[in-house]
Each structure stands twice: as C-alpha cells, then as structure tokens.
Amino acid sequence: MKLQHIVLTFSLLILCSTRICAQKNQSFDLQLFIESFFNLQDESINYEDLYERLLLLYENPINLNSASDNELKSIHLLSNAQIDSLKSYIDQNGKLLTLYELQLIEGFDINTIERILPFITVDSSELTRDDRPLHQRILTERNNYLIYRYSQTLETKEGFTPQESPDDNKYAGGRASHYLRYRVSKPGDFSLGLTTEIDAGEKFTWDSETHRYGMDFWSAHFMVEHHKSFRKIILGDYQLQFGQGLIFGTGLGIGKGSETINTLERVNLGIRPYTSVLEGGFLRGTAFTLELGKPLELTTFVSRTRQDAFIRNDSESYESYFSSFQTSGYHRTASEIENKNQVIETVLGANLHLKVNEITQFGVVLSTTHYSLPVQRSNQAYNLFEFTGNHNQNASFYTNFKIRQFRFFGELGISKSGGRGQVFGFTSKLIPQLEFAMLFRNYTRDFHSLRGNSFAEGSRNINENGIYWGFKYTLNSKLFLTAYYDTFYFPWLRFRADTPSEGNDYMLRLNYLPRSGLQVYVQYRNKAKEENGSPGIDALKMVQRGVKEQALINLDYDIHERLKLRSRIQMSRYEMSGLSSNGYAFIQDAIYHTGPFVFSGRIALFDTEGLNNRQYAYERDALYAFSIPAYSGEGIRNYLLIQYKLNRQLDFWLRLARTSYYDRDEIGTGLETIQGNKKTDLRFQLRFKIR
C-alpha cells in the first residue's frame, strides 16, 4: 500500500492541476474570503473572532498529519464527512507527503482544496517539539507584531462644537480615535497580547474615580499551552467556548449564513485569549485546563470584571440597582463617564471534558455569577421572566458522537430559575452529492444563560424554540447549491412583540466556480417574523407578520493576477399590513496589486426605503479593522484603501471613505449630527513586525 501511495503521489506531482499550484502562489485576501463564504447580506455581524482565528491559521497553517478533529473543524470549511475521509486515508496510506495528495481523498474536489489550501500544510517539522525555554520561543517567534491605528471623521459632529453654556452637553475628548495592539503568539504553544483604544470623543486622562487610566480601554492576556500537566493556562482577558455554547460561547458562533452545514456545530475550544476592543463579553482573571488522564481534562476559571451600567435608586427602599448593562463602550459625555465600571461581575466555574476519541466526547459545565448590585428590570410585560437579582447559577451537559454516517451534537442546560435550554443536532452525508444538517433548539422563557451564544434566531438563548434544516448539494466540481430553512416560535412576549409570536427564514444560494479566479453566486432569502405593527383605532399595537425578501447577484473575476474585480447587485423588499417598501444597492469593487502596493476601491449606489431595507455590504479595511456599514436612504458610497509594504517588517494602510446622500442635508442625530449631506472617514494604520 505504501508503494502505491508513493507512485500515486509522484504521478500527481507531474500531472497536478495548475490551479492548485497557482492558488498557493497567489496573494491571498482573507477579508474577501470570509465575506464570500460566511456573509449574509443584511446582518451587521462582527467577524473579528473568525477573522483573527483564520489569520492565525493562515500564518501558522494546520499540519494535516497531526491535526485533531476540532482543529480541522475550526476552519469551518470542511464537513464531518470530509474530515472522516482525510483521517481514513492517512490511516490506510500513511502520512501525507504533499498537498497534491488531497485530490486522491474522497470528497476533496478541486474547489474544496483551493478553499482550505491557505490554512493547511503537511510540513513534518511541526511534529518536532521545541524544547527551548519559553522566553526564547517568545523572543524568536515570527508572529510578533505591533499595530497602531488612527481614525477620524473629517466633518465636525455636533458633539465636538464649542459649548454655548456650562450646561451644554458635549464630548469630553478629541475627534480622533486611537488603537494600539501588540501580540506575539504561536498556536499550541503560547500567546501574549496587549490591546488598548480610545474612541473619538473620549478624553485621554488619568482619573481613578471615573476608572479612566490614559486610554479608555485596556485588555491584556498571557497564555501558555502544553506546560507539564496543563493543556492551557491563562492570565488576563479570555473567553470560553464549551459544548454548543449554551452556557459559554464566543463570537466564533457564525449561525445562519451561506455556509449552511459546516458552521452549524460549535467547536469545543475551551479557553481562548480575548483580543478584541469590544468592551464586553469577555472574562478577566485566570483559567486553566488540567489533563487528569489521557481521556479526561478539567478546566476551572475565575473572573472579576467591571461592567458599565446606569445605577438607579429605589424610591421606597433607597437601594441601588441597575436594569441592564450598557454595551456601547463609549465614555464621551458626563453621563457615559458616570456609568463606567459601576457593577462588579464575578464568575466562577468548571468544565469536565471526557474525550473517548476524536468523535465521541462528553462534558459538564458548572458556573455561578454574582453582581455587586441587583438587576431589576423595567416594568414591561416582556420582562416578566427575565433575570433579576444579583446571583445566577448554570449547569449543562454536552456531547458529540457518531452513529453510522450521522454525526450528533447537543447540549442541555439549566439555570437557577429552573429554566431549561437545549440544543441538539446532527450532520450527515446522505449520498455523495448531498450533505444534510438538522438542529432542534428549545430555550424556555425563564432560562437565564448570561454568557451563552448557542444557535438562535434572537440575540440571546431565551424564550425561543425552533428547527433548522441545512442542505448542500454538489452537482459537479464547478456547481453546488446551499440552502437552509429555519422555523422558530417565541412562546412569551418580547421587545416589539406584545404577544407570543413566530416566524420562518429560508435561503437559497447557487454557487458557480468554473475556474480559478472566477466565482459567481446568486442568493435569495425570505424571512417572515411577527412583531408589533402600527397602533390601531383602539391605540393597541397588534402583532403582525412582516416579510422581508432579499436577493443578490455577485460576480468575482480576476482580469489577470494583478487586477481583481467584484460586481454585485443586492435588493430587498419588506411588506407588513399590505404596505411594502424596497431597497437596492449596485456595488463595484476593484483590487489592484503592483509591486509593494495594493489598491482597493469601491463605488456603490443605493436607494432604500425605511430601516427594514438597509443594505449591508462588507468593505475592505486595514488589518484587524472591519467595516460593514448600512447603506440607508439615497446616495453614493465610495472608498479607497491603499496598502504599502515598505519591507518585511513594515506595512502601512491608508483608507478614505465617503458617503454622499441625495435625500438629506443633515446626517445623524443628537451629538452625532453632521450638518450637510456628506460624511468622510479617514483611517491610517501601520504594522511593525518585530521579527
């Protein structure tokens, strides 16, 4: 068998597809890649976690000969059936000698190989353990960089105009935002990072009474992996991902999207460093994962984090309380500064994980959360079953296993209130051309999972049940269809729905990839959801069914290796109570490479009616910066991004973006108001690679 293995490999080296060879040498555009394969037209999703994870994999590719199932799943591009085929091929034929062998593996067509190629390797040197002291490994690591970013809106906002009186509310700081990030990391070994930011309008000051220490936000972490009996040890800011994210879930949960199968099952990542500047959703303290034996590991964690909140006082008892956290992260005005870091959140917990093999796994999660002040919701009917008080507890059990060609996953949880949450699903390859996934979810109206992020229609795992079906049908190596259908029901009232309500959501996407450098896809989405309509004659808001239809046509094509073009048309229509509105956007992008420069630009025309027809469109930006603006109203949007690589260590980005509106002479509201019909944003960034 080994001789046959070598002969086949040698033949492939001679006759290999030039598409693979070309792909590996082309300049890879990670931002464009993520937008193409994971984007939904109208969702303003934060892709930062996914982007950083894939960028780290791009710079430190996974060795297919030693990768675990979880590592392969974390790419979100391989199905369970493809992972099984890869493992089976290696077991039967020995370790891969070259990436060209992937063409011999069942289920690995040329387009799949091109998609995963930037994130994989078969370099045997990765199998050699680096036994040098930790400080030497850190000092010599190539993935070691410093980033500085400057951003500013050139037009003057109302909050930056001079005060007309002492009581006039204005922003305390300057018009620019500043971002600084340092990180050195190597997957499977260590990670050290520091991130700090000050937003436009925030004041650079040192004031312990208002919890401001120079820059407005600071975040740091230090993590070591595979140290003695510890698989991971972290100090500082971190996130947790256990099971299907029912109790603890990170931003890597992509949910519904154009990738309808591979992103459904959450990957059990455990402890992850937190490197974002979103001022919430992370834990601060320490955590570690201890290997108790080959199949068993224990993770424990403790966190003490200050959160923003508006503190109120009860008129009768005079006790202090808060209604909800303020998650904007802005501290520009006197009231925003006063609300900073007002509540202390303490989280303790543990996870026991049993790994029978790469497929069969079980785990238990226990956690307790305490707030320094109690939560007291506003007196609205939809808040009747929401979390109140200052103490919550959660427990859950999760599992992954396989029966024949079906891969099952699920998690069952409970909160202190007695409320229950459960999510259970499976994926399968029914026939060689057809992949299928199904997911059931049920979150009771009193299930309180304060840090959960499992699959849901709503933004939280509460007051919802539903069923999701996902499909992927491959007609041939150039043409495949992805689709999903999701039906959901909200058994209790919710914001903007004064009765129990329901809805459904389905999407169809036809992908055509005739050759390398040419991709066409057509996508249609229909989402129906009940919510409050306009007040009737009796002044009551009746819950009515609103239907939103969306369609887009996208064409990516390479004129030659230096010039890439993207053309897109996206449209939407929203209807409720017999009244309809429409929106559209015509978008043309261009990317040109020449020497050390990369030029990217866009011209977009848009015309939308109402908020329900806003058009979301991903835009290229500087490294680790994201721009997914909502095109609303009538106007034109354009931007120019210039990237310059001075040498191996220094990269520069300069970005200028402008929106010109034809339907208004004033942009924004309140202190964000701009007089005029144009808004121009400037961004400059540099990255210095220390090695």
Side-chain angles (χ1 to χ4, degrees):
M1 181 63 72
K2 192 64 179 178
L3 179 60
Q4 179 185 7
H5 180 208
I6 295 173
V7 171
L8 287 172
T9 301
F10 182 72
S11 301
L12 284 169
L13 285 171
I14 299 174
L15 302 173
C16 71
S17 165
T18 56
R19 294 170 61 184
I20 293 182
C21 300
Q23 175 75 8
K24 196 65 178 177
N25 293 326
Q26 287 177 357
S27 178
F28 178 65
D29 190 332
L30 180 58
Q31 292 182 327
L32 195 63
F33 175 88
I34 292 176
E35 197 270 346
S36 295
F37 289 107
F38 300 105
N39 173 260
L40 264 185
Q41 173 188 342
D42 72 332
E43 299 293 339
S44 183
I45 299 173
N46 173 35
Y47 287 97
E48 189 165 355
D49 279 342
L50 176 65
Y51 179 77
E52 180 162 357
R53 171 65 181 167
L54 291 180
L55 181 62
L56 202 58
L57 289 176
Y58 177 64
E59 295 175 341
N60 301 270
I62 292 175
N63 186 350
L64 294 181
N65 288 322
S66 59
S68 67
D69 278 23
N70 276 348
E71 288 175 322
L72 294 171
K73 288 179 185 177
S74 67
I75 310 175
H76 298 295
L77 297 172
L78 292 175
S79 67
N80 285 322
Q82 289 170 324
I83 293 173
D84 290 344
S85 294
L86 173 64
K87 295 287 187 179
S88 177
Y89 179 87
I90 293 175
D91 289 341
Q92 295 176 17
N93 300 284
K95 297 184 183 299
L96 299 174
L97 301 179
T98 171
L99 290 172
Y100 303 124
E101 282 186 77
L102 292 175
Q103 296 174 93
L104 298 173
I105 302 176
E106 181 182 356
F108 280 73
D109 57 65
I110 197 70
N111 290 316
T112 298
I113 296 172
E114 286 187 346
R115 289 169 63 180
I116 67 173
L117 205 60
F119 311 110
I120 60 173
T121 184
V122 293
D123 186 2
S124 60
S125 63
E126 186 179 328
L127 302 176
T128 304
R129 180 180 176 86
D130 190 344
D131 292 323
R132 293 178 301 162
L134 178 61
H135 72 277
Q136 290 186 13
R137 303 201 302 272
I138 293 175
L139 292 175
T140 57
E141 173 57 39
R142 292 181 59 189
N143 185 35
N144 188 345
Y145 61 87
L146 179 71
I147 288 178
Y148 169 73
R149 182 188 307 147
Y150 172 95
S151 304
Q152 181 178 333
T153 298
L154 300 185
E155 291 79 12
T156 301
K157 297 180 180 180
E158 178 65 27
F160 298 112
T161 58
Q163 282 186 312
E164 297 180 358
S165 69
D167 297 330
D168 196 8
N169 190 29
K170 300 292 182 180
Y171 292 148
R175 296 170 54 186
S177 66
H178 303 269
Y179 167 94
L180 188 66
R181 171 191 178 113
Y182 170 76
R183 192 173 187 189
V184 53
S185 62
K186 183 176 183 179
D189 194 359
F190 61 85
S191 178
L192 172 65
L194 171 68
T195 305
T196 183
E197 183 187 48
I198 186 167
D199 293 308
E202 295 176 336
K203 186 177 181 179
F204 187 89
T205 184
W206 193 278
D207 184 0
S208 59
E209 292 186 0
T210 57
H211 308 283
R212 291 182 292 170
Y213 304 97
M215 303 286 275
D216 181 71
F217 175 73
W218 294 86
S219 177
H221 75 270
F222 177 53
M223 183 175 75
V224 177
E225 300 185 61
H226 304 295
H227 177 70
K228 297 182 179 179
S229 296
F230 292 93
R231 194 165 72 85
K232 290 182 180 180
I233 306 173
I234 193 168
L235 295 172
D237 295 347
Y238 61 94
Q239 291 180 306
L240 299 172
Q241 171 72 46
F242 297 126
Q244 296 306 304
L246 191 61
I247 307 301
F248 289 100
T250 70
L252 280 173
I254 300 172
K256 290 183 286 189
S258 52
E259 178 54 68
T260 57
I261 304 290
N262 300 332
T263 59
L264 194 61
E265 178 184 357
R266 302 296 166 87
V267 182
N268 195 79
L269 298 172
I271 303 167
R272 294 186 63 250
Y274 184 79
T275 58
S276 173
V277 291
L278 298 177
E279 300 180 29
F282 63 90
L283 299 167
R284 176 167 289 176
T286 184
F288 65 82
T289 298
L290 177 65
E291 296 177 339
L292 302 178
K294 188 172 182 180
L296 194 64
E297 60 185 30
L298 173 68
T299 299
T300 62
F301 49 91
V302 58
S303 168
R304 187 177 185 272
T305 312
R306 287 187 172 272
Q307 305 278 12
D308 293 358
F310 176 63
I311 306 303
R312 305 171 186 269
N313 291 303
D314 189 275
S315 58
E316 296 181 0
S317 65
Y318 299 103
E319 293 183 353
S320 298
Y321 69 92
F322 69 101
S323 297
S324 62
F325 291 126
Q326 297 187 356
T327 58
S328 70
Y330 290 128
H331 307 106
R332 304 162 300 183
T333 64
S335 59
E336 290 175 347
I337 295 171
E338 184 181 1
N339 296 337
K340 184 176 182 179
N341 292 350
Q342 291 300 302
V343 177
I344 299 175
E345 178 194 49
T346 304
V347 180
L348 304 170
N351 164 244
L352 189 64
H353 184 80
L354 175 64
K355 184 178 180 180
V356 179
N357 52 49
E358 287 289 344
I359 298 174
T360 305
Q361 303 181 35
F362 304 92
V364 175
V365 181
L366 302 172
S367 74
T368 179
T369 302
H370 181 268
Y371 298 119
S372 58
L373 294 175
V375 178
Q376 183 175 319
R377 305 288 181 177
S378 60
N379 189 25
Q380 301 288 339
Y382 59 78
N383 281 330
L384 184 60
F385 297 97
E386 290 284 351
F387 172 76
T388 59
N390 59 5
H391 186 233
N392 186 44
Q393 293 175 326
N394 289 106
S396 76
F397 168 79
Y398 62 84
T399 184
N400 302 72
F401 58 92
K402 180 180 180 181
I403 300 177
R404 298 176 69 90
Q405 77 269 34
F406 292 90
R407 292 282 291 263
F408 295 92
F409 55 91
E411 186 171 6
L412 173 66
I414 189 171
S415 61
K416 181 185 176 184
S417 62
R420 284 174 163 76
Q422 50 192 317
V423 54
F424 186 77
F426 66 86
T427 62
S428 178
K429 194 167 189 176
L430 302 180
I431 58 175
Q433 297 84 13
L434 179 61
E435 295 178 56
F436 175 68
M438 194 171 185
L439 183 141
F440 306 84
R441 62 192 186 275
N442 185 8
Y443 314 123
T444 62
R445 60 188 182 182
D446 59 345
F447 177 60
H448 303 141
S449 175
L450 306 177
R451 289 185 174 272
N453 186 31
S454 59
F455 188 96
E457 165 64 23
S459 59
R460 299 178 299 139
N461 305 143
I462 187 173
N463 185 37
E464 178 180 333
N465 55 62
I467 305 176
Y468 170 96
W469 294 267
F471 307 87
K472 180 179 180 180
Y473 185 78
T474 302
L475 287 83
N476 52 52
S477 61
K478 299 179 180 180
L479 193 65
F480 65 94
L481 174 71
T482 58
Y484 73 74
Y485 180 82
D486 185 39
T487 178
F488 43 86
Y489 176 67
F490 306 103
W492 184 246
L493 286 59
R494 57 191 176 87
F495 180 66
R496 295 185 62 188
D498 292 343
T499 66
S501 55
E502 62 184 8
N504 59 71
D505 179 10
Y506 65 87
M507 187 274 297
L508 298 167
R509 174 163 163 164
L510 183 64
N511 303 267
Y512 179 51
L513 297 88
R515 59 175 175 80
S516 182
L518 178 60
Q519 176 185 358
V520 183
Y521 61 84
V522 180
Q523 181 172 302
Y524 173 78
R525 187 184 184 194
N526 182 298
K527 186 173 184 177
K529 196 172 183 178
E530 293 179 336
E531 58 184 27
N532 291 339
S534 302
I537 299 175
D538 56 0
L540 293 177
K541 293 182 178 179
M542 303 297 294
V543 172
Q544 301 173 6
R545 188 178 182 86
V547 179
K548 183 174 183 178
E549 296 178 278
Q550 301 164 276
L552 69 85
I553 303 172
N554 189 94
L555 172 63
D556 295 340
Y557 50 104
D558 297 353
I559 302 300
H560 51 75
E561 61 181 13
R562 291 187 176 184
L563 179 61
K564 301 179 182 180
L565 299 180
R566 161 173 285 193
S567 304
R568 171 181 286 200
I569 301 173
Q570 55 188 57
M571 300 160 284
S572 66
R573 180 177 183 271
Y574 184 79
E575 182 175 354
M576 176 183 277
S577 304
L579 301 176
S580 64
S581 56
N582 300 277
Y584 68 81
F586 298 99
I587 302 170
Q588 179 62 56
D589 294 341
I591 305 170
Y592 182 70
H593 298 254
T594 176
F597 288 94
V598 180
F599 297 91
S600 308
R602 163 174 294 180
I603 298 176
L605 300 173
F606 59 91
D607 188 354
T608 68
E609 300 172 338
L611 297 179
N612 289 306
N613 286 296
R614 289 175 294 184
Q615 303 293 310
Y616 289 92
Y618 163 85
E619 297 181 348
R620 286 174 55 83
D621 211 320
L623 187 68
Y624 292 115
F626 292 83
S627 180
I628 312 178
Y631 299 167
S632 181
E634 182 182 350
I636 183 171
R637 167 82 172 177
N638 45 60
Y639 73 83
L640 176 64
L641 172 66
I642 303 173
Q643 179 181 350
Y644 174 60
K645 189 175 187 64
L646 178 64
N647 52 44
R648 191 181 62 84
Q649 291 182 291
L650 270 177
D651 296 90
F652 297 90
W653 289 262
L654 180 64
R655 187 177 192 269
L656 190 67
R658 166 170 282 191
T659 305
S660 301
Y661 294 94
Y662 303 144
D663 59 347
R664 67 197 70 178
D665 54 16
E666 183 179 274
I667 303 172
T669 60
L671 296 181
E672 289 292 289
T673 301
I674 295 174
Q675 297 299 326
N677 70 333
K678 292 180 175 60
K679 182 182 179 183
T680 310
D681 296 310
L682 174 68
R683 175 167 289 163
F684 168 78
Q685 176 172 298
L686 67 85
R687 178 181 64 172
F688 175 66
K689 289 186 176 181
I690 297 176
R691 292 194 60 83

